[in-house]
Amino acid sequence: MIPCRSPRELERLRRSGLVVYEVLREVTAAVAPGVSTWDLETVAERAIQERGATPAFRGYRGYPCVLCASVNEEVVHGIPTRKRVLRSGDVVSLDCGVVMDGYYGDSATTVVVGGEAELPPAVQRLLAATRESLAAGIACARPGKFLGDISHAVQRHVEASGFSVVREFVGHGIGTHLHEEPQIPNYGAPGAGPKLREGMVLAIEPMVNQGSAEVRVLGDGWTAVTADGGCSAHYEHTVAITKEGPWILTQP
Ligand code: MF3
Ligand code: CO
């Protein structure tokens, strides 16, 4: 069963969503050559704490940090470390979640150290296509649509752009837990799966590879990397389904 949240609950999810937005904004501002991914972890932790929120990731299935920072060929779940020092042109996906008052928010963005202009055009297109695929998925988050419409919209845009969708990781329902029903693959058939209803809250998160879709997980048990060493991008928003259409909770 996919929970449908009341307006009161949506207001709480909105508060958590905006905290995640602000945290990611602070972390993004801290990204620069010479900064380690551990430095970003400390920025995220302080930003969460200052807002009276609690990290959602640390301790989740034993994950050790409040932030995931995945660099270049790392797809998702990169564990911040002092050893990973960023250089100009690195592509870093930043993923963070918080819980406040019992309600969760979860969002991810991908940033380029030194700015997107530093990138080869093919990687610029990867980032743009991933952002656009998230927007295409979000546009389907309306009452009366189906879960498969979201999945299909993401897949269609990614593949039409010449990139590939990661299959091993999925988006998810979110509310009083970080991960709730349903799972949201970034590929699928229109009209498939459960019908979307007012009050459902979904974390939609395309992970897109430049080359092959294949990924493997490193010996740390968390860091997912592309099998071919190509670059990968990840964007995520927590979105509520309302009568008026999609409400992006993790964006002002
Ligand atoms: N945004 C990812 C997810 O929703 C990040 C989870 S990291 C974890 O699955 F540590 F919490 F697992
Ligand atoms: Co998520």
Side-chain angles (χ1 to χ4, degrees):
M1 221 262 300
I2 304 171
C4 291
R5 304 295 172 179
S6 67
R8 236 174 82 95
E9 291 182 289
L10 291 185
E11 281 306 329
R12 292 182 179 169
L13 286 159
R14 172 60 160 172
R15 278 197 280 278
S16 298
L18 286 180
V19 168
V20 175
Y21 166 80
E22 290 172 3
V23 170
L24 283 179
R25 196 179 51 183
E26 283 198 20
V27 175
T28 297
V31 168
V35 169
S36 75
T37 54
W38 178 258
D39 296 331
L40 302 178
E41 164 77 9
T42 64
V43 170
E45 181 170 22
R46 185 172 338 105
I48 293 168
Q49 202 181 5
E50 276 172 5
R51 289 165 176 82
T54 303
F57 293 179
R58 194 163 56 199
Y60 184 85
R61 295 177 179 238
Y63 186 74
C65 291
V66 308
L67 182 75
C68 300
S70 312
V71 185
N72 297 336
E73 78 288 352
E74 296 173 358
V75 179
V76 284
H77 304 162
I79 302 174
T81 163
R82 288 185 178 86
K83 283 186 264 180
R84 190 81 195 225
V85 178
L86 299 174
R87 299 193 300 181
S88 190
D90 280 343
V91 174
V92 192
S93 107
L94 304 165
D95 188 351
C96 193
V98 306
V99 56
M100 241 189 348
D101 204 12
Y103 289 82
Y104 284 77
D106 186 9
S107 183
T109 186
T110 298
V111 301
V112 182
V113 183
E116 273 193 41
E118 292 294 299
L119 281 184
V123 186
Q124 289 185 24
R125 285 196 295 275
L126 170 71
L127 269 52
T130 309
R131 281 194 294 266
E132 291 156 7
S133 74
L134 174 57
I138 290 172
C140 298
R142 308 177 161 274
K145 292 270 201 185
F146 293 84
L147 192 67
D149 296 336
I150 295 177
S151 303
H152 180 74
V154 172
Q155 178 181 22
R156 204 179 111 95
H157 188 81
V158 168
E159 292 178 354
S161 309
F163 301 114
S164 57
V165 161
V166 173
R167 315 245 162 180
E168 283 81 355
F169 302 99
V170 296
H172 49 95
I174 179 169
T176 52
H177 303 270
L178 176 62
H179 293 152
E180 298 182 354
E181 276 186 69
Q183 293 195 6
I184 312 175
N186 292 300
Y187 58 94
K195 193 179 224 174
L196 304 179
R197 296 181 194 285
E198 206 182 323
M200 289 179 176
V201 181
L202 307 175
I204 306 172
E205 47 179 319
M207 289 143 272
V208 177
N209 293 354
Q210 190 179 8
S212 108
E214 208 186 320
V215 301
R216 61 190 179 86
V217 176
L218 298 186
D220 63 17
W222 282 102
T223 313
V225 298
T226 58
D228 63 8
C231 194
S232 187
H234 178 212
Y235 291 85
E236 174 178 23
H237 275 305
T238 296
V239 180
I241 294 170
T242 79
K243 269 204 289 292
E244 289 78 36
W247 181 15
I248 303 176
L249 300 176
T250 42
Q251 186 169 276

